[in-house]
DNA sequence: TAAATTTGTCTAATGTACTAGACAACTACT
DNA sequence: AGTAGTTGTCTAGTACATTAGACAAATTTA
């Protein structure tokens, strides 16, 4: 007679073990170079079979977080999580300066569309009004760190997409519209599982968690200029207020 | 429109559909009273079988988020997500004022322990030094909203646990130590799957996501007084900066 | 009333998740 | 060299996840 485990909540045990071990690593309980507990001990700790633990370790090995060595044990390879500071003057690049060497943003295109209720409210325009929508993907040291979608009022920023592709920077694109400075009016932070597109672009294992930030930036006069929805891999980033 | 369908990432398809639909509801795409798309349409959208969609809807019905009516359709019952503002003067109760009717905090006890590296760093003491650890669970209108653990320097707040049980409020307990005012020095926000204890206390389905906030509060002189680790159910709360 | 639409229930088949036990391959220590 | 400890691989069985099709039951529309 098999003893039934706690009802599955739709998240496989091996995936929960992946999350738990990674949390110990990025949280500092285990440092780079440390040896993890043996598979047998981990199986005991998580009330799981050794094979299930092995599956979790295989995923972490795939990600480069740990590495197994036959006869010796399994060791922590790579540790830390980036910190992204959020405040009045929030700039993605500057915020991560000092934490990463290389930085690159891929523009995934832009198009016109009608404002959703949320976008309209954030930008202070009526729902359905024309807005410019810009898609982007930012990587640090070759690792994808942020998938972002930004909406801007078409009446003021008709060619923003083109400007951005040329100038390669939001700050500079805003300057081309005469906005010398801008600041963060509000940031809403929530969290959910990554969808399939995010999983692919952010190079996540399916089922990974993303931190979602909804940010409204305003110009010097306090007028909303952009509404941005950014998704960060929770395993690679934390937000600091 | 969210598209899912990832193979075998350890998160069951029905659970991803639960998350996606709930996101549409708490995100405002669907308001209370609205009829959801039919099961057939949802199955099409998520590239899933109707049975799989039905399982997801059953979970949401269990949570009270939606309700199905035979022959008519499935309707949104309960909508919103609470917003918890984070700033210089962050107070849990005040932050949620106006959003909830009733408010209750259960103290889950307190004890002495030796400071972890993270706690020590936050409080500006040496690792291993004695700290007071306080556990709590806060509910709004009967729904658990926050599971928190707070650490304080033992040398300054030896009897904090007792004070808190008597005074029922962090603000008042701090006052009893002569701290008339305090403010938020920093908040780190991350996200992960809920562990077993959190799942139970916060009344979550296993596999749910929690937003994790690590906060350091300081007194008027800028000296750290508390380090708090709070876990919020991502499906019920968002953080606003 | 009849037809169309929508949710509710049943049976069945296939692949994934998890458990269980056994043994091989490799490393470190005595 | 021998032994204990650890990871790697194999087989096999049970429960869960997902798909598929069919029909019943309730509601709305024509």
């Amino acid at each position: 007679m098999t003893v039934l485990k706690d009802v599955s909540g739709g998240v496989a045990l091996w995936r929960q073990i992946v999350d738990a071990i990674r949390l110990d690593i990025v949280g500092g309980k285990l440092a780079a170079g440390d040896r993890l507990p043996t598979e047998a001990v981990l199986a005991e700790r998580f009330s799981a079979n050794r094979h299930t633990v092995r599956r979790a370790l295989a995923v972490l090995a795939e990600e480069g977080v740990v590495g197994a060595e036959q006869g010796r044990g399994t060791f922590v390879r790579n540790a830390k999580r980036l910190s992204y500071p959020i405040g009045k003057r929030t700039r993605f690049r500057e915020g991560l300066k000092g934490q990463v060497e290389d930085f690159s943003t891929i523009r995934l295109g832009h198009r016109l569309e009608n404002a959703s209720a949320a976008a309209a409210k954030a930008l202070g325009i009526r729902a359905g009004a024309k807005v410019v929508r810009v898609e982007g993907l930012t990587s640090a040291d070759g690792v994808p760190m942020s998938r972002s979608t930004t909406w801007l009022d078409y009446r003021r920023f008709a060619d923003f997409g083109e400007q951005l592709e040329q100038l390669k920077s939001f700050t500079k694109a805003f300057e081309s519209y005469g906005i010398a400075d801008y600041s963060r009016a509000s940031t809403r932070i929530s969290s959910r599982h990554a969808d399939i597109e995010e999983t692919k672009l952010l190079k996540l294992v399916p089922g990974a968690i993303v931190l979602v930030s909804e940010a409204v930036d305003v110009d010097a006069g306090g007028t909303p200029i952009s509404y941005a929805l950014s998704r960060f891999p929770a395993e690679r980033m934390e937000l600091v207020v």
Side-chain angles (χ1 to χ4, degrees), chain A:
Chain A
M1 180 92 71
T2 318
V3 177
L4 295 178
K5 277 210 101 75
D6 212 37
V7 212
S8 159
V11 179
L13 184 52
W14 64 263
R15 170 142 255 310
Q16 298 180 50
I17 296 174
V18 166
D19 290 341
I21 294 177
R22 188 169 35 217
L23 190 70
D24 282 352
I25 293 174
V26 299
K29 281 189 190 168
L30 290 166
D34 283 2
R35 204 188 82 170
L36 273 70
T38 67
E39 292 171 351
V41 171
L42 288 171
E44 173 80 11
R45 172 185 306 174
F46 294 115
S47 305
N49 191 273
R50 186 177 148 231
H51 293 292
T52 308
V53 170
R54 280 179 61 72
R55 175 154 191 188
L57 290 174
V59 171
L60 289 168
E62 181 83 16
E63 290 178 20
V65 177
V66 305
E69 296 175 29
Q70 187 166 357
R72 298 193 63 218
T74 306
F75 298 82
V76 177
R77 289 239 185 289
N78 197 334
K80 78 176 173 192
R81 180 149 65 168
L82 293 183
S83 292
Y84 178 35
I86 293 181
K88 266 277 171 236
R89 278 189 50 87
T90 297
R91 304 286 186 276
F92 197 80
R93 276 191 159 63
E94 294 177 21
L96 296 179
K97 197 174 287 179
Q99 297 185 67
V100 300
E101 308 245 314
D102 172 56
F103 213 87
S104 73
T105 299
I106 300 167
R107 297 289 159 210
L108 300 173
H110 54 89
R111 66 167 189 266
L112 293 187
E113 67 178 21
N114 298 321
S116 67
K121 192 177 169 196
L123 294 174
I125 57 181
R126 63 165 218 291
K130 252 194 200 166
V131 286
V132 179
R133 173 184 173 139
V134 182
E135 309 281 357
L137 178 71
T138 303
S139 301
D141 296 334
V143 182
M145 281 296 164
S146 162
R147 166 82 180 85
S148 64
T149 306
T150 309
W151 289 269
L152 306 101
D153 187 344
Y154 176 73
R155 291 171 306 182
R156 188 168 177 191
F157 301 104
D159 299 317
F160 196 89
E162 288 77 7
Q163 290 292 326
L164 192 57
E165 289 200 351
Q166 229 176 357
L167 300 171
K168 315 271 188 204
S169 144
F170 269 85
T171 306
K172 282 179 189 158
F174 279 132
E175 276 172 10
S176 78
Y177 286 92
I179 297 170
D181 195 22
Y182 62 96
S183 62
R184 180 63 57 91
S186 74
T187 310
R188 312 177 83 81
I189 299 166
S190 58
S191 177
R192 58 174 169 78
H193 284 125
D195 68 25
I196 183 69
E197 194 229 48
E198 291 155 1
T199 303
K200 197 171 295 175
L201 289 174
L202 292 171
K203 291 182 187 160
L204 295 168
V205 281
I209 296 174
V210 289
L211 275 164
V212 181
S213 134
E214 287 175 78
V216 179
D217 280 339
V218 296
D219 63 18
T223 306
I225 53 175
S226 73
Y227 169 61
L229 191 72
S230 304
R231 288 83 90 200
F232 307 100
E235 64 205 45
R236 298 183 201 139
M237 288 280 272
E238 62 184 2
L239 308 178
V240 177
V241 180

